[in-house]
Amino acid sequence: MLHKTLCFSLILAILSACTDQTYQSGGRLYKTMCANCHMDSGEGLGTLIPPIAGSDFLGKNRDKLPCIIRHGLRDTIIVNGKTYAENMAAMPGLSDIQITNLLNYINSSFGNQNPPYSFEAVEDLLKKCP
């Protein structure tokens, strides 16, 4: 019994470490790829760049977000009742796992409490990008 408990504890510790690393990876990606426009705290930039902090757009457009990160955005969007028309640059150099980590960081930071993405879900959504 002690052996099973020890193995279970070890597995939980490993999974926790993996989750922490992916969250930290997403945070580093946000700071280097996104914060220059969306700001360090995710508040956006006035009427030009939409906020990520407390953003209703994240939950309403969950299936589009991987494609927006990979291919950019050239459309008018509404975030928290405000209209934004500034284009967002594409990030074609990010791998599928980097996009997953970035999305999971954004969706669980800045007051956001959206469910996490699985790598497989992001991979599938990216295959369907227009």
Side-chain angles (χ1 to χ4, degrees):
M1 183 68 167
L2 179 62
H3 178 67
K4 287 183 182 179
T5 303
L6 193 57
C7 286
F8 183 71
S9 296
L10 181 60
I11 290 169
L12 283 178
I14 291 170
L15 290 176
S16 177
C18 290
T19 301
D20 289 345
Q21 288 176 4
T22 58
Y23 182 81
Q24 291 171 0
S25 172
R28 284 189 300 273
L29 286 167
Y30 180 82
K31 287 183 191 300
T32 59
M33 306 295 287
C34 310
N36 55 335
C37 293
H38 292 284
M39 304 293 113
D40 287 336
S41 298
E43 71 270 18
L45 188 59
T47 58
L48 294 176
I49 308 293
I52 289 176
S55 171
D56 63 351
F57 187 83
L58 299 175
K60 292 178 181 178
N61 295 278
R62 185 171 173 81
D63 290 350
K64 296 178 184 178
L65 296 178
C67 296
I68 290 172
I69 291 172
R70 167 94 20 102
H71 300 290
L73 182 67
R74 287 158 189 42
D75 197 3
T76 300
I77 61 171
I78 298 173
V79 180
N80 299 339
K82 295 182 182 174
T83 302
Y84 295 89
E86 191 72 26
N87 291 340
M88 182 178 135
M91 298 182 214
L94 292 182
S95 69
D96 294 1
I97 193 69
Q98 288 175 312
I99 291 173
T100 304
N101 291 344
L102 178 58
L103 285 169
N104 286 333
Y105 176 79
I106 289 169
N107 276 291
S108 63
S109 299
F110 314 116
N112 298 317
Q113 297 178 352
N114 298 309
Y117 287 85
S118 69
F119 171 71
E120 294 80 11
V122 169
E123 199 174 37
D124 187 50
L125 290 169
L126 287 168
K127 288 177 186 173
K128 297 175 185 175
C129 291

